[in-house]
Amino acid sequence: MKRVEQQIDYLWEALQHPDVSGFEMLEFLDVRSKLAIQEPLLSQSERSRVEAIDRQFLRNAPVWLERIRDVSDLAAMRQKARVLPSHWWWYLDAITQEIMEVCAGRA
């Protein structure tokens, strides 16, 4: 099995367990960033799987953010790791805040 396939399988499996720890979610973000570097080389099938992972990740964003907040400050981790702005998954705190503001505006 190729390394890319292993990374994709890892990400998908992690999302199937909402009880993962914050440390595991930080590892998820790191693996997703490693995969992003390889995205131009992915097959169409692999890209489709990554898109499905991203959609599932976003659906449960508040849960994942809580897990991360239990163990770390996401903004501080992002700054320390010098995360690229294109790696949106590291901005889960900002994304979740935006979602909450939009939902509150509709109420």
Side-chain angles (χ1 to χ4, degrees):
M1 183 181 295
K2 294 187 323 188
R3 177 121 176 103
V4 166
E5 291 172 351
Q6 290 173 335
Q7 290 172 328
I8 292 171
D9 288 345
Y10 171 85
L11 295 174
W12 181 254
E13 186 62 28
L15 293 179
Q16 305 314 305
H17 303 282
D19 59 338
V20 298
S21 74
F23 293 114
E24 290 168 309
M25 283 312 303
L26 289 170
E27 177 68 17
F28 175 97
L29 300 179
D30 187 51
V31 171
R32 182 62 183 87
S33 288
K34 289 176 184 172
L35 189 58
I37 294 167
Q38 302 171 67
E39 279 186 42
L41 305 174
L42 298 182
S43 70
Q44 184 58 44
S45 173
E46 291 165 336
R47 285 181 193 198
S48 294
R49 290 185 67 203
V50 171
E51 289 170 5
I53 288 165
D54 288 346
R55 283 191 303 274
Q56 181 68 22
F57 179 70
L58 283 171
R59 274 189 213 105
N60 293 315
V63 173
W64 308 136
L65 181 58
E66 273 307 307
R67 297 287 188 272
I68 293 168
R69 283 182 172 160
D70 287 344
V71 300
S72 183
D73 177 345
L74 187 56
M77 291 291 292
R78 201 170 42 234
Q79 185 176 24
K80 181 179 178 184
R82 296 185 179 162
V83 171
L84 297 171
S86 61
H87 292 199
W88 59 264
W89 44 91
W90 280 97
Y91 295 83
L92 196 55
D93 48 352
I95 292 168
T96 301
Q97 181 63 36
E98 284 289 323
I99 291 169
M100 292 175 70
E101 288 175 10
V102 168
C103 290
R106 292 183 182 173

